[in-house]
Amino acid sequence: GKMTDSHERNPACEMVKNIYSSCLLIFSIVIVMGLIFTEQTKLSNDVHPALAFFVLWGLVIWLGMVEGGQASLVGLAPINFDLYKDSHPITYISTKVCHVGDNLDRYLMGRQFMVIFIAFCINMAGAPLKDSELWGLPKWIIDIFLVTGFAMILLTAMIGQLATQVNASHCMLDYINSYFGVFTFYTAMAIEFSGLMHVSYFIQMVVGYAAGKPIESNEPPKTGLQLAFFWLRVVVSAASLCFCLAVTLEALFNGQTTMWEGVPNAVAVILFFLLMSVVGLLEGMQIAFFAVAKLKKSERGSAPFAMRTCELLFRGSGHNLPGFMIGRQLCVVSCFFIIARVTSLDVNVGVDKNVFGVSDAAQEFFNTGLLGAVITTILGSISWQLVASAFPLAFLSNPLVYVFLRICLFLEATGICSGAWVLAAIHKKIAGFQRDEVYIGTAEERAAKNMEDHDENQHVEHGLRKLPGFTDCPEALVKLMNQDPSVKSFVESISEGADKVEENV
C-alpha cells in the first residue's frame, strides 16, 4: 500500500509482509486443491473432484467481478456517459441502466445476496469434511488451515475480494468493460427483481419512520399494479425469511448441521445469532464511519466510546479508514464461512429423518445451505446497514464497535492480506487495465470540457471525486448524499475549497 503518514511505512517491512502473505496464500491454495482432489469436500465427495475444482475457481473469479463491479458502478455514477460510451461501449451497457432512477440501490441489494451466496457455494466446494487428513500433515497444521477454514478465508478474501477492489477503484471503466461484467450486473438486478430480499425495503421504511427521515426516491411513487407487485414481493420475502429461519433453527436444535463436532446444540444456536450480529456490526460500522467522517469533532456526540472510536479512526492522515476496510473484509468473510458451517444442513437423505418431514428433494435443497444465505443477507447484512445509516451516532456509541475496529486494524497491520497488492499488480499488468484519468481526464479536465460530473438524475455532485480518502469506497457516502441534503452541501463545500486551493497554487 502507498501510505504517506507521519510515521512512514518501512519498505523492508512491507516487502516481508508481501512475501509471507503470498507464501501463505500459495500454501492455502495447495491445501484446498489437495482436499478437493482427495474427495474430502462436500461437492468433490458427493459428485466429482473436477466439478468442485471448477466451481471453486469459477466462483472465486466471479466474486472478483461482483466486488470489483460494485466499486466501478458506484464510482462511475457521477460521470457523464458521453465521456466513455465510445471508448467503453460494454461498460456503457451496464451503466446506462444502473445510473437511472433507483437502480443503483437495487443493484447493491442484489449484489449483497450474490456475495453471500457465492461464499456459501465456495464453502460447499472447498470446505473439509469431518476428520479430513492430507499428505500426513501434522494435526496442528490441519487444525489451523482446514478445520477453522483459514485456508479458504485467505483464498477468497485475497483473490476474490481485496485484489479486485484495489484495481476496480482506480480502473473503473476498464474493469467492467466486458460481457462478464454486464452478465454480473444483470444477475444482481434479476436477484433484486425476484423479490427474495424485498422484506428489506419494509425494514428500511420502518427504520426511516423511526428516525423521522422518510425514504427519498429518484422515481415517481409506485401506483396500481406496480405497487401491488411490490407489496406481494415484500410479503413473499417475509414468508420465505420466516421459513428459512424455522428450518435452520429446527436443524440446529436437533444437531443436524455441519457444525463442528462437540459443539452443544444450544451453543450452536447462540453462535448463529452471535455471528449474524458480528456480520451486521461490521456492515453497519462501515456505513456509520462514512456518516461521521463529515461531522465536526464537536458534533460527534459525547458518548465516550463514540469519541474513542472516532479518535482512533481519524487519527493521523486518515489511513485507519482504508486499514479498517481491509481488516473488515477478512472478518466478514470469516463470519460468512462459519455461518455457512452453522447453517448448512447435514441430513443424510433417505437415511435420517428430514426436517419438518419434507420431501427428499426439498431436503437436498436445504442441505445446500442457501437458506442460511438468505437469512444472512437480510438479517445479518442489509438491515444493519439501514439502521446504521439512520442512526450513525447511536451505532458508534456501542463499545463493541470500538473493539471490532481494533480487531480489524490489527488484522490489517499483521499484513496477512498484503499478498492482495501483489496479485492486483499482476492482474492489472496481464489485463492491461489503465486508470480512468487516461480515458476521461480528471474531474477538473472534465469540467473544463463542459462535461462536468453533474447530472440531475445522478446521486452524487461532482467533487466526491476530489474527496481525500473516499476514492476507494464511496458506496455508503453516495447513499447518504442521496438521503441527506446536508451531506450533499458538505461535499460541495469541500470541493469548492479544493478549487480555491488549486487557483492559488
Side-chain angles (χ1 to χ4, degrees):
K2 294 172 286 301
M3 301 289 181
T4 46
D5 218 320
S6 45
H7 44 275
E8 196 60 56
R9 297 232 173 174
N10 180 344
C13 177
E14 291 297 305
M15 194 67 199
V16 170
K17 282 182 184 178
N18 285 348
I19 293 171
Y20 101 83
S21 170
S22 303
C23 294
L24 265 183
L25 177 62
I26 293 167
F27 182 59
S28 298
I29 293 174
V30 171
I31 299 195
V32 173
M33 293 307 111
L35 269 184
I36 286 178
F37 287 110
T38 52
E39 301 193 2
Q40 298 191 77
T41 73
K42 185 173 159 61
L43 209 53
S44 66
N45 191 318
D46 291 355
V47 191
H48 193 273
L51 178 72
F53 176 84
F54 285 112
V55 165
L56 180 86
W57 284 110
L59 287 173
V60 168
I61 293 166
W62 196 16
L63 182 63
M65 185 49 87
V66 172
E67 291 284 8
Q70 174 193 357
S72 296
L73 286 164
V74 171
L76 289 171
I79 307 290
N80 194 316
F81 293 144
D82 296 331
L83 283 167
Y84 61 81
K85 68 175 186 214
D86 298 327
S87 62
H88 293 76
I90 307 177
T91 296
Y92 179 59
I93 298 176
S94 301
T95 56
K96 71 178 176 203
V97 175
C98 185
H99 299 150
V100 173
D102 292 331
N103 282 350
L104 186 60
D105 293 343
R106 293 195 177 98
Y107 159 74
L108 290 170
M109 186 179 286
R111 188 204 83 78
Q112 192 73 43
F113 178 72
M114 281 171 81
V115 171
I116 294 173
F117 172 74
I118 289 174
F120 273 67
C121 294
I122 290 175
N123 183 64
M124 264 184 7
L129 296 169
K130 293 188 176 88
D131 311 322
S132 297
E133 288 177 338
L134 199 60
W135 308 318
L137 288 171
K139 183 165 167 24
W140 63 272
I141 290 195
I142 296 284
D143 282 348
I144 291 176
F145 281 91
L146 296 180
V147 178
T148 58
F150 184 57
M152 297 268 295
I153 290 163
L154 281 186
L155 190 156
T156 309
M158 266 201 258
I159 302 179
Q161 294 181 302
L162 295 171
T164 57
Q165 285 167 340
V166 173
N167 282 337
S169 60
H170 300 302
C171 315
M172 302 178 201
L173 286 169
D174 278 349
Y175 201 88
I176 52 174
N177 194 33
S178 67
Y179 286 107
F180 185 33
V182 175
F183 169 70
T184 304
F185 167 69
Y186 278 103
T187 307
M189 293 301 278
I191 290 172
E192 191 278 340
F193 182 76
S194 72
L196 195 58
M197 308 288 121
H198 264 55
V199 70
S200 313
Y201 289 125
F202 177 67
I203 297 172
Q204 187 179 20
M205 287 169 189
V206 173
V207 171
Y209 182 75
K213 291 188 232 173
I215 307 301
E216 287 180 22
S217 169
N218 298 316
E219 296 175 358
K222 298 180 176 65
T223 50
L225 276 175
Q226 204 187 4
L227 190 68
F229 182 49
F230 172 79
W231 282 106
L232 173 73
R233 287 182 291 177
V234 171
V235 171
V236 172
S237 166
S240 359
L241 177 63
C242 295
F243 177 71
C244 293
L245 273 170
V247 171
T248 305
L249 289 175
E250 171 77 5
L252 279 170
F253 278 117
N254 297 335
Q256 293 178 307
T257 72
T258 54
M259 192 60 194
W260 289 282
E261 291 285 290
V263 176
N265 297 344
V267 175
V269 175
I270 295 168
L271 188 67
F272 170 62
F273 285 109
L274 257 177
L275 284 165
M276 285 288 169
S277 310
V278 170
V279 171
L281 204 63
L282 291 163
E283 295 278 15
M285 278 165 76
Q286 175 185 356
I287 290 201
F289 287 165
F290 286 116
V292 296
K294 68 180 200 300
L295 296 178
K296 293 207 263 319
K297 247 198 167 121
S298 56
E299 293 169 357
R300 286 179 191 157
S302 53
F305 274 101
M307 290 167 80
R308 258 190 196 168
T309 301
C310 292
E311 199 278 315
L312 176 60
L313 192 63
F314 303 114
R315 183 181 292 170
S317 45
H319 286 302
N320 279 352
L321 191 57
F324 160 73
M325 299 300 292
I326 292 170
R328 174 189 161 276
Q329 198 81 61
L330 263 183
C331 287
V332 169
V333 174
S334 314
C335 289
F336 285 164
F337 283 133
I338 301 172
I339 292 175
R341 264 250 147 91
V342 177
T343 60
S344 293
L345 271 60
D346 184 21
V347 176
N348 207 335
V349 177
V351 183
D352 305 343
K353 189 172 150 297
N354 292 349
V355 178
F356 294 140
V358 295
S359 69
D360 284 356
Q363 186 58 55
E364 285 283 4
F365 175 66
F366 292 172
N367 283 2
T368 59
L370 292 186
L371 303 188
V374 174
I375 302 172
T376 311
T377 309
I378 300 175
L379 294 186
S381 221
I382 297 176
S383 309
W384 290 70
Q385 289 175 347
L386 297 170
V387 172
S389 74
F391 306 102
L393 284 171
F395 201 88
L396 292 188
S397 52
N398 180 346
L400 281 174
V401 168
Y402 182 74
V403 174
F404 276 101
L405 175 59
R406 281 277 184 208
I407 294 172
C408 291
L409 289 173
F410 168 74
L411 279 176
E412 194 267 340
T414 60
I416 204 153
C417 275
S418 295
W421 311 121
V422 182
L423 278 175
I426 297 170
H427 180 195
K428 188 173 174 180
K429 243 197 169 41
I430 295 173
F433 290 151
Q434 288 189 293
R435 294 178 76 99
D436 295 323
E437 291 81 51
V438 175
Y439 302 108
I440 55 176
T442 59
E444 293 75 30
E445 288 162 13
R446 294 197 289 273
K449 272 204 233 151
N450 223 352
M451 286 271 197
E452 192 157 22
D453 307 350
H454 184 93
D455 192 341
E456 265 42 80
N457 67 356
Q458 297 302 358
H459 300 316
V460 191
E461 303 299 324
H462 87 288
L464 184 58
R465 285 257 157 264
K466 303 173 203 165
L467 261 182
F470 280 126
T471 42
D472 281 325
C473 29
E475 172 194 350
L477 195 70
V478 172
K479 271 255 162 60
L480 269 163
M481 291 175 72
N482 234 349
Q483 291 159 3
D484 186 349
S486 62
V487 185
K488 221 171 209 177
S489 54
F490 166 78
V491 171
E492 283 167 346
S493 68
I494 287 192
S495 69
E496 277 162 25
D499 291 339
K500 287 201 186 77
V501 173
E502 277 154 23
E503 283 159 20
N504 299 341
V505 167

